[in-house]
Amino acid sequence: MQVTSMLSAGYLEPMQNIFRSKNAVEVAEVDQSKQQKEQEILSEEQAIKAKLGKNAQVHTVYHYSVGSDGKRYIVGASVTMKGSEEDLNRVGGGIAQEDLQSKKQEAIDALKKDAQKNEDTQNIIKSEAEKREASKKKDKAEDEKEAQTQELENVQNEVIAHEAAHQAAAGEFGGGVSYSYIEGSDGKSYIVGGEVPIKLKEGSTPEETLRNMQQVQRAANAPTDPSGQDRQVAMKAADLASKARQEITRESSEEEEHKTEVARGTPVIEAVSRENENYDVNKDGVQSLLASVKEFEIQNLIPAA
């Protein structure tokens, strides 16, 4: 333990103050006063050493002043004492204990100050981290909002193109387009669905029905990504088109059969009878006359089997 003590209060006063207070004293008396002070300081130093004992260490730094006679006189001293608390307290009347308590308090205050500083630093770090996290969340929310808006715009463009393809291919069989909307995070409305009604209109003949259904099929399959409903319409049109083809084939077969029968020598009487089935003899006497004539000609021209 170490205690530093200042000897001589006179050392703490500027030298010019001493001279001002002794203006009335002769120079010789001033020098004598310095000699006496020096002796007092040395005596006090010896007394301190004696009280400390042999185990303590004493280090003295003297402070000098030059007298009017040109000599240096000790006017103060700094005495540093090292030793046990008990020895130091014998000299200073408890000064060592006071010094120890003071140092302890200084240490406590320093620790408190460091702790407060650390706490302030941690608070700053925490605050900055919270700011960064809030900024990240804000940026993420903005990115998600922008991505959602972009996605809605893409869907809207796709729906418009989809329904436009239906309308262009449907022609007279298509109706007006209707859209469904949704509100985006930016407060705007976006198209997310649409519909173009397509009529499955049959024709007055199988051939016309076939043409109509082929156009309906093209209209239903016009978009690059037909929906399930589009495919259902196309399938219905394909079914009606298939039936129309069957009807056309049936009529064509009957016509061909009729032509074949005539070409192979079917009795002309039967052929004429078939032709005459479409006429009303009661309404047209001329037709009946022509039928009799044809029958007479046939009987005279076709040899018996």
Side-chain angles (χ1 to χ4, degrees):
M1 180 176 294
Q2 176 176 311
V3 175
T4 301
S5 178
M6 300 294 295
L7 303 181
S8 176
Y11 168 71
L12 301 177
E13 298 179 2
M15 291 305 300
Q16 58 266 29
N17 290 341
I18 297 176
F19 286 111
R20 280 199 297 269
S21 63
K22 298 180 180 295
N23 287 333
V25 182
E26 294 179 358
V27 173
E29 292 178 348
V30 171
D31 293 339
Q32 186 178 1
S33 176
K34 289 182 180 295
Q35 291 176 1
Q36 291 176 354
K37 187 177 290 294
E38 183 178 77
Q39 290 301 319
E40 291 175 359
I41 292 171
L42 293 174
S43 298
E44 188 175 353
E45 178 189 3
Q46 293 299 320
I48 289 173
K49 289 181 179 180
K51 289 181 179 180
L52 283 173
K54 296 180 180 179
N55 294 328
Q57 298 179 8
V58 178
H59 178 71
T60 305
V61 177
Y62 296 112
H63 308 285
Y64 297 92
S65 176
V66 179
S68 59
D69 58 357
K71 295 181 180 180
R72 297 174 64 201
Y73 294 94
I74 298 173
V75 294
S78 296
V79 180
T80 302
M81 299 166 284
K82 293 182 180 179
S84 66
E85 183 177 335
E86 182 181 355
D87 291 340
L88 296 176
N89 281 332
R90 265 201 318 272
V91 175
I95 188 172
Q97 182 64 28
E98 292 175 3
D99 183 69
L100 179 61
Q101 293 297 329
S102 176
K103 290 185 179 298
K104 285 182 178 180
Q105 188 61 45
E106 288 178 0
I108 292 172
D109 292 341
L111 289 174
K112 287 181 178 180
K113 186 176 180 180
D114 289 342
Q116 184 62 47
K117 185 177 180 180
N118 290 335
E119 183 178 353
D120 293 342
T121 301
Q122 291 299 322
N123 288 336
I124 292 172
I125 294 173
K126 183 179 178 180
S127 177
E128 291 298 324
E130 289 175 351
K131 288 180 180 179
R132 287 195 297 270
E133 187 65 24
S135 178
K136 287 181 180 179
K137 288 181 178 180
K138 183 179 179 181
D139 292 342
K140 184 178 179 181
E142 290 294 330
D143 290 343
E144 290 177 352
K145 181 178 178 180
E146 185 177 349
Q148 183 189 38
T149 300
Q150 185 61 51
E151 179 65 20
L152 288 174
E153 288 179 352
N154 292 340
V155 170
Q156 178 172 265
N157 293 335
E158 290 173 3
V159 171
I160 292 174
H162 184 103
E163 303 309 329
H166 280 316
Q167 279 192 315
E172 62 177 316
F173 302 107
V177 62
S178 59
Y179 294 116
S180 57
Y181 299 85
I182 191 174
E183 184 175 335
S185 57
D186 57 355
K188 297 180 180 179
S189 294
Y190 293 89
I191 296 172
V192 292
E195 181 179 358
V196 173
I198 298 177
K199 293 176 287 186
L200 294 170
K201 183 180 178 181
E202 296 187 35
S204 57
T205 63
E207 289 80 7
E208 184 180 359
T209 299
L210 178 60
R211 289 192 297 271
N212 292 352
M213 293 308 106
Q214 287 174 337
Q215 185 169 354
V216 169
Q217 283 182 280
R218 289 193 297 271
N221 295 321
T224 56
D225 55 340
S227 65
Q229 186 175 355
D230 295 339
R231 287 190 288 270
Q232 289 179 3
V233 172
M235 288 175 63
K236 289 180 181 179
D239 185 52
L240 291 174
S242 177
K243 292 179 180 179
R245 288 191 184 93
Q246 292 175 4
E247 182 67 19
I248 293 171
T249 301
R250 185 184 64 79
E251 291 182 355
S252 178
S253 297
E254 290 180 355
E255 184 178 351
E256 288 297 326
E257 182 181 354
H258 175 68
K259 291 180 180 179
T260 301
E261 289 177 353
V262 173
R264 287 177 180 176
T266 303
V268 179
I269 296 174
E270 183 180 350
V272 172
S273 297
R274 288 179 182 173
E275 183 179 354
N276 291 337
E277 287 177 356
N278 297 325
Y279 296 93
D280 188 346
V281 177
N282 295 327
K283 293 183 179 179
D284 193 349
V286 176
Q287 184 66 31
S288 298
L289 178 60
L290 290 175
S292 300
V293 172
K294 287 182 179 181
E295 185 178 356
F296 174 80
E297 290 176 351
I298 291 171
Q299 289 176 352
N300 287 278
L301 293 176
I302 299 176

